[in-house]
Amino acid sequence: MRSPHAASNRVVLSLVALAVALLLLGDFASVQANRIAPGRGLGLFVALGPAWALAVLGALLTLAGLALRPSPARYRGMLALILLLLIQLPASLGWFIQLHIGADQPQARAGLASGCWSLLFLSLLLLIEVRQRVPAPWWWLGPGGLLLVTALLIQGGELAALALLREYASRSAAFWQALRGHLGLVGGTLGCSLLLGLALTGLIIRLPRLQRPVFGVLNFFQTIPSLALFGLLLAPLSYLAAHSPLLQSLNVRGIGWAPALLALVAYSLLPVVRNSCVALQEVAEEVLESARGMGMSRWQLFSQVRLPLALPVILEGLRITSIQAIGLTAVAALIGANGFGSFIFQGLGQGAMDLVLLGALPTIALALLADALFSGLARYFQPGGRR
Amino acid sequence: MSRRPSALRPWLAPLGWLLLLLAAVFWLGELEALFRALEPSARTLIYPRASFARLLLNHLAIVAAAALLAVSLGLAAGILVTRTWGRDFLPLVSQVAAIGQTFPPVAVLALAVPLLGFGSLPTVFALLLYGLLPVLRNTLAGLQGLPAEVLEAARGIGMAPLRVLLEVELPLAAPVILAGIRTTLTVTIATAAIGSTIGASTLGDPVIAGLVNGNSAYVLQGALLIGLLAISVDSGFDCLQRLITVR
């Protein structure tokens, strides 16, 4: 109905207009004399100098120009411009640091202000939009290049003055410990809830009248807010630990990893059990019939028919579970569980926003990674999906 | 609808939870002896800085503000991008809604502080951003899941687009949209409690104060109230949903 030349892409135009407005109206980056001093925000032209600023604005306006009368070739041009915008972002920060923070200011820090964040955010939105208008298998070069250039600049020390990296530098050991703690708790949760969840699923399939009560209880857990569940587990666990030497030797207390793991498993069971029940129950009767007709034993039926067909749906349950557990592990820092949440709450307590970022950004990154990992696995195990 | 006595029965569960919540709000302070057993050495046993009723009201106000904004914005956005003239934005909006739900609520809450400072305002803002997504996603799913023949038929009998939306599309999509609103409410109530750490005064206050001072009596009081509030609201919504789906 609509030929590629017929209409301008209003989505790209609006996103570009928004990006230009935010870049011109807000500060691009900020400079702090030290950790406690208030930051001084600098606009795009002051922060990057006129040449770099004009190049960024020029790229955005060209993007808008191409979006006025889009065609497949022009969409590929837009995609290339978006990749450039993404890849220049870390470089522009390195340039900003070189311009505004001298080598004689070892305490000074550079911060990202609204302009920088909105350029990053809107470029990613533009990428999502343009990517689905034209088939271009190289779209990942944008985010990939962004990460690569950032890594190279960090390695070369060009970004050392970035407030986030200054925070990291002063607690790098704690950072890796937090990562291990976070992953350990999430991994433990996934393992426990998978084992328990599959056992419950087996029970439900054998005794269908248990389905309603089991789901009732698991739904009930999901309703209870995490802070409340952590709090409710505190008293009973301290009591148990005080009266059991075995639990004491395992370092089980009212706070720490034990209540965190218990609560996380309680939350994780619903997605796991729901998805595996649905997946295992909804294998079509004809499929099972023909498998039986081939003379398969019960075990063969399970391992060669039911499980492979159910696996993608079970993996989807694990995806939800892992994202949920990564977020809740951060909350569990309040009850002393080790993880990135401890940076978030320490930073909030000290009013140190860069420390908050040092906790919040890796938490988000972990959640996005888990999402990508489990969606990828689900696609891989989709019947006929293996390429 | 008939108003036989049995019509009240489904409301017994939420009513019971609500009464339990109110009882806890007003009488938890009287149970000092019970909390003494938990925390024998503490000087104060009942959270002293604000009454539970005040905390409950604050909590409810924050949740209500965020949820109202989230539901109206999410619904509006979902409707706009499924109209003919907004359809260009549909792929982007639905992808962003899907990706956004990957972000942990506590991270969104923490990131609101550098933007807006401490207090209730950043809490409401973060809850609004996060609460928007389930409503938006379910609105899109509900409106897009309608069979094309139904819409065709509605247009065929000469209904104007607005009437199709109000009298056909929204009523048919209502169960799915309501499920989204329910998710939003659950997340909002839970995350508002964590809002205590960024300076919003909510039922999370006793929990946080208790954890910081090592007073498990405070923790238990806050946790009980938060739990009861969440369960009351959820079970009330459960009834509402069943009522609408059955009709």
Side-chain angles (χ1 to χ4, degrees), chain A residues 2 10-11 14-15 125 128-129 132-133 220 222-228 231-232 234-235 255 323 327 330-331 334-335 344-345 348 353 356-357 360 363-364 367-368 371, chain B residues 17 38 85-86 88-89 91-92 95-96 99 102-104 106-107 110-111 113-114 118 186 190 193-194 197-198 204 207-208 211 216 219-220 223-224 226-227 230-231 234:
Chain A
R2 198 191 288 169
R10 291 184 296 154
V11 184
S14 340
L15 290 174
L125 290 187
I128 295 176
E129 164 64 21
Q132 57 203 358
R133 305 282 171 188
F220 184 75
Q222 288 274 325
T223 319
I224 301 179
S226 51
L227 200 60
L232 291 173
L234 194 150
I255 58 170
I323 292 173
V331 181
L334 286 172
I335 54 162
I344 298 183
F345 295 117
L348 288 174
M353 289 312 131
V356 174
L357 283 185
T363 310
I364 295 176
L368 290 174
D371 179 49
Chain B
W17 286 115
L38 197 68
W85 34 271
D88 289 1
F89 287 84
L92 182 69
Q95 283 218 26
V96 169
I99 297 172
T102 325
F103 284 51
V106 60
L111 290 180
V113 176
F118 286 87
T186 308
I194 306 171
T197 58
I198 67 166
V207 181
I208 306 289
L211 287 170
S216 53
V219 175
L220 192 60
L224 270 176
I226 300 169
I231 296 168
D234 191 69

Side-chain angles (χ1 to χ4, degrees), chain A residues 74-308:
Chain A
R74 286 185 181 173
Y75 270 124
R76 271 189 283 276
M78 285 188 233
L79 202 53
L81 279 172
I82 296 166
L83 299 196
L84 278 181
L85 276 174
L86 280 172
I87 292 170
Q88 64 84 36
L89 209 53
S92 76
L93 282 175
W95 176 240
F96 167 74
I97 288 169
Q98 211 154 54
L99 281 183
H100 296 277
I101 294 180
D104 55 330
Q105 297 164 280
Q107 295 298 319
R109 301 161 158 239
L112 280 61
S114 63
C116 194
W117 284 118
S118 37
L119 185 57
L120 171 67
F121 187 64
L122 290 168
S123 301
L124 289 173
L125 290 187
L126 281 165
L127 182 68
I128 295 176
E129 164 64 21
V130 172
R131 203 191 99 188
Q132 57 203 358
R133 305 282 171 188
V134 63
W138 40 276
W139 64 267
W140 56 269
L141 284 174
L146 173 79
L147 292 178
L148 182 71
V149 173
T150 311
L152 285 177
L153 288 175
I154 290 176
Q155 200 72 151
E158 313 286 339
L159 295 179
L162 214 56
L164 195 62
L165 289 175
R166 289 251 204 261
E167 289 293 336
Y168 166 75
S170 61
R171 63 193 87 225
S172 59
F175 182 86
W176 295 106
Q177 208 194 336
L179 178 65
R180 276 195 301 276
H182 213 113
L183 288 179
L185 200 49
V186 172
T189 304
L190 282 185
C192 289
S193 51
L194 193 60
L195 279 180
L196 255 175
L198 289 183
L200 274 177
T201 309
L203 203 65
I204 288 175
I205 288 181
R206 292 269 163 93
L207 300 168
R209 70 197 151 83
L210 283 180
Q211 180 152 4
R212 272 181 68 92
V214 167
F215 276 102
V217 171
L218 296 184
N219 261 317
F220 184 75
F221 279 133
Q222 288 274 325
T223 319
I224 301 179
S226 51
L227 200 60
L229 194 51
F230 291 145
L232 291 173
L233 285 170
L234 194 150
L237 273 177
S238 341
Y239 178 83
L240 283 178
H243 293 83
S244 151
L246 174 70
L247 289 180
Q248 271 164 23
S249 67
L250 288 172
N251 199 18
V252 169
R253 286 176 299 144
I255 58 170
W257 67 268
L261 185 68
L262 270 180
L264 286 175
V265 171
Y267 285 124
S268 303
L269 280 175
L270 182 69
V272 173
V273 175
R274 187 183 48 203
N275 279 36
S276 28
C277 263
V278 167
L280 290 172
Q281 283 170 346
E282 289 193 347
V283 175
E285 199 46 48
E286 304 90 75
V287 177
L288 295 178
E289 204 50 56
S290 60
R292 278 189 212 108
M294 287 164 64
M296 281 189 173
S297 69
R298 278 182 74 100
W299 169 247
Q300 281 176 323
L301 199 67
F302 177 77
S303 65
Q304 294 179 20
V305 180
R306 274 184 191 264
L307 193 61

Side-chain angles (χ1 to χ4, degrees), chain A residues 2 4 6-18 63-70 75 78 126 129-130 133, chain B residues 80-92:
Chain A
R2 198 191 288 169
S8 57
N9 185 320
R10 291 184 296 154
V11 184
V12 172
L13 288 178
S14 340
L15 290 174
V16 167
L18 197 59
L63 205 61
L66 291 174
L68 280 176
R69 318 198 80 208
Y75 270 124
M78 285 188 233
L126 281 165
E129 164 64 21
V130 172
R133 305 282 171 188
Chain B
L80 285 183
V81 300
T82 46
R83 302 306 98 188
T84 328
W85 34 271
R87 209 166 271 277
D88 289 1
F89 287 84
L90 178 61
L92 182 69

